[in-house]
Amino acid sequence: EKELNAIEGKIAAQEAAVAELDERLASGDLYKVGTDPSVAKGLQKEREAAQKALDATYTRWEELEALKE
């Protein structure tokens, strides 16, 4: 029960992190001429890792919910 309560806050934080990375990746400034392309690539890798972590947290949340029933 304790882990289940904590995981909801973790999900919210991870969702916010993914959304923030999405905003940064959508910024036109990131793709202007003269901008180092490795910055965008790094952000994309960071976004992929954040999404993977969020997916894993959702999976754990579903497991905990199933145990509760």
Side-chain angles (χ1 to χ4, degrees):
E1 185 86 21
K2 187 176 177 182
E3 183 182 1
L4 184 60
N5 291 334
I7 207 164
E8 291 173 0
K10 185 176 181 179
I11 287 171
Q14 289 175 324
E15 286 176 337
V18 169
E20 190 266 333
L21 287 165
D22 284 342
E23 284 182 29
R24 290 175 63 192
L25 284 164
S27 169
D29 293 339
L30 189 59
Y31 304 101
K32 286 185 177 176
V33 174
T35 303
D36 184 358
S38 67
V39 173
K41 288 180 183 178
L43 282 175
Q44 184 60 40
K45 283 186 178 184
E46 191 177 338
R47 199 258 183 231
E48 289 170 5
Q51 183 64 54
K52 187 174 183 178
L54 177 59
D55 292 344
T57 303
Y58 267 123
T59 298
R60 180 63 182 150
W61 176 73
E62 290 170 354
E63 291 169 352
L64 292 171
E65 282 290 324
L67 290 174
K68 194 170 97 172
E69 295 174 2

